[in-house]
Amino acid sequence: MSSRFDISPTLIDGVSIVERKPIGDERGFLVRVYAEDELAQFGFAGGIKQINHTLTTSRGAVRGMHFQHPPHAETKLVTCIRGAVFDVAVDLRTGSPTFLQWHGEVLSAENNRALFIPKGCAHGFQALEDDCELLYLHSAAFEPSCEGALNQSDPRLAIDWPLPVTDLSDRDRNHEFLDDKFKGLSL
C-alpha cells in the first residue's frame, strides 16, 4: 500500500512537515491523521499517550512556547482542523547545530498539513483566523513538574509572528527571556 503521507524535512533536524493525502469524492473526503507504522520511521515511535484538542477564538492570539523537560520530553504531531495557524517549533536540544533556531509553518484545515515536532523542541502557534482548532498527538503524557516554556517575544529567538500578537495568557506573557545560563535540553 502506498503512503498516505508526504513528509518533508525542515532545516531543523527532526522537525518535519507532514502532508496528508486525502481521498475524496462528491460526498466529502477521508484523511488519515495518524498511522503508527508510517510515522514511526520519522521518529514518532512508541504510540500516542495523549491527545489534546484546543480552540483559540481570537485572530492574532499566541499560545506557547511550551515543552516538557526530560524524562517526560515528548514528540508532537500538530494538526489544524479548523481555521489556520502559524505553527512554530524551536530547537532546544543541547549540542544541536540548530540550537535556538525556529521553524514556522502555516497549518490549516484546507492544506492538510501537520507539523511533526521531536523531543527537545518547544512548540507554540499564532491563530491566523478566529476560532482555530488544533489536535495534538503526544508521545508522552503531560507531567506538570516537567513543564517548561519560552517567552514568545524573546529577542534571542526572534520569532517572526505574521500578525501583531493581540492575546496571550498571563502565564505565557510572563515567561522569562533566555539568558546565557540556558544550555538547552539533554535528551
Side-chain angles (χ1 to χ4, degrees):
M1 180 198 298
S2 67
S3 176
R4 299 294 279 285
F5 306 100
D6 283 331
I7 300 179
S8 306
T10 67
L11 296 177
I12 298 175
D13 185 40
V15 176
S16 300
I17 302 160
V18 178
E19 294 195 56
R20 297 185 172 100
K21 301 176 190 176
I23 298 173
D25 60 25
E26 66 279 351
R27 300 168 296 162
F29 67 88
L30 170 110
V31 171
R32 182 163 294 150
V33 173
Y34 176 80
E36 185 173 24
D37 291 346
E38 290 185 65
L39 295 175
Q41 63 187 311
F42 297 99
F44 203 114
I48 298 170
K49 305 293 188 232
Q50 184 170 310
I51 300 173
N52 294 334
H53 178 192
T54 64
L55 168 67
T56 303
T57 57
S58 301
R59 179 180 187 264
V62 170
R63 290 182 184 254
M65 302 295 298
H66 305 141
F67 62 94
Q68 292 267 105
H69 290 275
H72 295 279
E74 61 188 348
T75 298
K76 294 181 185 177
L77 184 64
V78 181
T79 303
C80 182
I81 59 172
R82 183 168 78 162
V85 300
F86 184 67
D87 206 60
V88 175
V90 177
D91 189 352
L92 301 178
R93 297 168 290 189
T94 301
S96 170
T98 55
F99 180 63
L100 296 184
Q101 292 181 27
W102 60 272
H103 176 82
E105 194 69 37
V106 173
L107 308 180
S108 71
E110 284 74 38
N111 72 14
N112 287 310
R113 284 185 170 178
L115 196 61
F116 178 83
I117 303 165
K119 293 177 182 179
C121 290
H123 170 257
F125 69 90
Q126 182 175 51
L128 301 177
E129 301 176 7
D130 290 340
D131 299 321
C132 293
E133 292 185 64
L134 297 181
L135 280 180
Y136 299 73
L137 307 180
H138 299 261
S139 67
F142 177 69
E143 174 52 54
S145 66
C146 290
E147 180 180 28
L150 307 173
N151 189 302
Q152 57 79 37
S153 63
D154 191 325
R156 192 164 170 193
L157 301 175
I159 298 171
D160 188 14
W161 300 105
L163 301 173
V165 176
T166 59
D167 192 14
L168 283 168
S169 70
D170 286 338
R171 188 180 107 202
D172 286 344
R173 179 180 296 108
N174 291 314
H175 292 304
E176 293 183 18
F177 289 170
L178 294 173
D179 59 25
D180 290 336
K181 293 183 223 169
F182 182 75
K183 300 301 180 200
L185 302 178
S186 296
L187 300 176

